[in-house]
Amino acid sequence: MKVRSTVAKVTVCVPCFNEVDTIALLYRTLVGVFNDIPSCDFELLAVDDGSTDGTLDVLYGLNAEDSRVQVLSFSRNFGKEAALMAAIDYAGGDCVVLMDADGQDPPELIPQMLHWWREGYDDVYARRTDRGREGWLRRQLSLLFYDFMSKMTDVDMPSDVGDFRLLDRQVVLSLRELREVERYNKGLFSWVGYKKKELTFERANRREGKSHFTLWKLANLAMAGITSFTAAPLRIWTLIGGVIAMGAFCFLIFYIAKTLIIGDPVQGFTTLVSIILFLGGIQLLSVGILGEYIARLYSESKHRPMYVIKEQTSTIPSRENRVNDKY
Ligand code: UDP
Ligand code: MG
């Protein structure tokens, strides 16, 4: 088993998008938690994802007060997956904690995560036993999504697990090598493998403000997850197409026989219209699904970076200057 140093540098990474009311509180809670763990050097890496509400000023204020607070700021809103990627790219600690800014991920769980990390686990993730205030539809859709992912993909993705987790440096280095733009981090955490440990926690409600994830944004994320981990939806259409073609063939034989035996009075208009509409619908759906994959190919083929950094606090080394990093 791996032996981990008793004194560890822990980088807590927080993506922030319009979190002016919550981020300072989170910082103070984190300081409180880490004061009780003397064997750890703590630093906070906040990634400002193009906030428009003064979050960046608050972050620079915290940086002036405490140099352990480091700030990366995007040139616009690139989304949480991109913010997490930047955190993974720039985090310098022996282990890295990823968490939300809004207080829904309890910092009090970090000591337990560190304990399991010291025991040799590389990815200690937190599963929520209660999802806080959340709509029925959102809950059902997310259950459906996890069910689909677990049946259709090779990677084992636990349900009710968010991005809140502690990763060993080695996992972070592996994640840096995965540069896909249409990113679904939760899937990639599973994909890279390593020794995992699950903890559970009760998810609180957001401290201030409201969730930035509308049903539409979540649907897009789910689509990114599905298309980047499985081609099953494409294969399903091959199957459906085959079944329909076989059915059509049987139908054809039946009608030819019927015409030969009892003649051919003109009838069956309704049947005809239903069949045409049904097949038309199915074809459009399958072209749409094909389109989803092609759109992803297209955006990956452009090789654009996942995010653009506008400014950063001077203590963060630029990517080019880092030593001992694979990326
Ligand atoms: N977030 C982000 N960019 C976005 C949307 C959200 O960096 O475009 C951050 C947000 O500041 C928070 C975390 O992602 O720290 C989770 O967001 P939120 O609480 O809105 O999502 P939910 O808890 O509903 O999943
Ligand atoms: Mg939240």
Side-chain angles (χ1 to χ4, degrees), residues 241-311:
V243 170
I244 290 180
M246 259 157 60
F249 185 70
C250 297
F251 228 56
L252 190 77
I253 301 283
F254 170 74
Y255 273 107
I256 290 176
K258 200 175 146 206
T259 315
L260 288 178
I261 296 164
I262 54 173
D264 185 24
V266 177
Q267 53 171 237
F269 180 71
T270 322
T271 325
L272 212 61
V273 170
S274 333
I275 290 174
I276 290 174
L277 286 181
F278 175 67
L279 285 183
I282 281 204
Q283 276 167 3
L284 281 183
L285 198 66
S286 56
V287 171
I289 289 183
L290 206 63
E292 285 293 336
Y293 282 87
I294 294 176
R296 251 118 202 137
L297 273 176
Y298 173 61
S299 71
E300 296 296 344
S301 71
K302 285 185 280 191
H303 296 297
R304 285 189 189 153
M306 254 163 281
Y307 52 82
V308 176
I309 290 179
K310 190 180 63 179
E311 48 190 290

Side-chain angles (χ1 to χ4, degrees), residues 15 17 19 49 77 80 101-102 104 203 206 211-213:
F17 176 50
E19 299 287 3
D49 185 13
N77 179 246
K80 186 184 175 189
D102 58 3
Q104 285 191 293
R203 189 154 161 99
R206 211 173 212 290
S211 170
H212 300 102
F213 284 86

Side-chain angles (χ1 to χ4, degrees), residues 169-195:
R169 176 137 197 93
Q170 209 184 342
V171 184
V172 170
L173 292 182
S174 299
L175 286 168
R176 275 183 200 169
E177 286 182 49
L178 309 177
R179 307 306 304 176
E180 57 203 78
V181 183
E182 293 287 333
R183 212 174 170 77
Y184 182 63
N185 281 307
K186 259 176 278 205
L188 297 177
F189 297 142
S190 299
W191 186 89
V192 289
Y194 291 103
K195 205 169 158 199

Side-chain angles (χ1 to χ4, degrees), residues 142-258:
S142 91
L143 283 178
L144 194 73
F145 171 73
Y146 282 120
D147 196 39
F148 181 84
M149 290 300 270
S150 76
K151 290 204 176 95
M152 294 297 172
T153 64
D154 304 333
V155 288
D156 190 19
M157 246 174 276
S159 63
D160 285 341
V161 173
D163 299 313
F164 183 29
R165 59 184 67 224
L166 181 146
L167 301 170
D168 180 58
R169 176 137 197 93
Q170 209 184 342
V171 184
V172 170
L173 292 182
S174 299
L175 286 168
R176 275 183 200 169
E177 286 182 49
L178 309 177
R179 307 306 304 176
E180 57 203 78
V181 183
E182 293 287 333
R183 212 174 170 77
Y184 182 63
N185 281 307
K186 259 176 278 205
L188 297 177
F189 297 142
S190 299
W191 186 89
V192 289
Y194 291 103
K195 205 169 158 199
K196 298 186 188 302
K197 171 80 189 167
E198 179 176 297
L199 304 179
T200 52
F201 74 107
E202 264 189 37
R203 189 154 161 99
N205 287 323
R206 211 173 212 290
R207 283 214 185 103
E208 296 287 338
K210 61 178 178 23
S211 170
H212 300 102
F213 284 86
T214 54
L215 217 50
W216 176 246
K217 266 198 186 175
L218 283 177
N220 278 330
L221 186 62
M223 216 24 141
I226 292 170
T227 48
S228 55
F229 280 94
T230 172
L234 293 175
R235 300 212 181 100
I236 290 172
W237 290 107
T238 319
L239 203 72
I240 291 179
V243 170
I244 290 180
M246 259 157 60
F249 185 70
C250 297
F251 228 56
L252 190 77
I253 301 283
F254 170 74
Y255 273 107
I256 290 176
K258 200 175 146 206

Side-chain angles (χ1 to χ4, degrees), residues 24-72:
L25 190 58
L26 178 73
Y27 161 73
R28 286 182 221 298
T29 321
L30 281 170
V31 168
V33 166
F34 278 95
N35 277 343
D36 294 339
I37 323 175
S39 58
C40 279
D41 282 341
F42 144 81
E43 65 182 10
L44 174 68
L45 173 59
V47 182
D48 168 53
D49 185 13
S51 301
T52 49
D53 68 345
T55 301
L56 191 57
D57 298 334
V58 175
L59 289 175
Y60 275 128
L62 291 174
N63 169 259
E65 191 183 303
D66 180 349
S67 62
R68 294 175 302 175
V69 179
Q70 303 176 357
V71 187
L72 275 178

